[in-house]
Every structure is written in structure tokens, then in C-alpha cells.
Amino acid sequence: MFITVKGFNKTGIPSDLWDFMALHAQIDRATGIVLAVTILVLSNLASNVPNVLSLGGRMAASAALISAAEEKKAWLLLAWVSTVARNPLAFG
């Protein structure tokens, strides 16, 4: 799984996705809900671990530009949403 995720990251698709939604993924604003919904959708399409591996670094770096506290919130948001993403679904 880790090799597959690393290969997927090298395709540039996760970076392109992040660049596309970076304006709507600011954790300190109300538009940060777009980030949570994106994490939820990606966690259901792939799984929570590949999702965290693909988005974690970029998300934390973006939040670190705001403050260290926001970086911690970003990691907690990513961990929580990706973990509970499948719980409301019947097959979860």
C-alpha cells in the first residue's frame, strides 16, 4: 500500500487536487468545510490511510503558514474525518 501511494503521489494528481482546492481548504475559515467534505469523499473512494498519506503533508504545511495551533488542528481534522468517514455508510 505504501509503495502504491508513493507512486500515486509521484503522478502529481494529489498535488493538482490540492492546488485546485487550496483556496477552499483554509482550516481557519468557514470554507474549510470543503476540505472536510473532500477528505470524507476521498476516504470512501480509496481508504483512510492512503488519504492521510496523500493529503497530510500538504494540508499540514498549508495550516502551518497560519500558526502552529492551526497545523495541529489540521492533523486532527484529517485524522478524525478520515477515520469516521465510513461509519455512516451501511458497509462501513
Side-chain angles (χ1 to χ4, degrees), residues 9-90:
N9 286 340
K10 286 185 177 187
T11 66
I13 294 171
S15 292
D16 291 342
L17 176 65
W18 184 260
D19 292 341
F20 176 73
M21 60 175 247
L23 294 174
H24 305 290
Q26 297 175 355
I27 194 166
D28 64 335
R29 298 194 180 153
T31 58
I33 193 72
V34 173
L35 180 61
V37 170
T38 302
I39 295 167
L40 183 114
V41 169
L42 291 175
S43 290
N44 281 298
L45 289 176
S47 185
N48 59 345
V49 174
N51 189 26
V52 170
L53 290 173
S54 294
L55 290 178
R58 297 283 304 260
M59 189 172 153
S62 177
L65 294 174
I66 301 167
S67 72
E70 294 299 321
E71 181 181 9
K72 183 177 179 180
K73 283 183 196 176
W75 279 113
L76 291 173
L77 175 75
L78 181 60
W80 186 79
V81 173
S82 64
T83 300
V84 300
R86 292 184 179 221
N87 289 345
L89 301 176

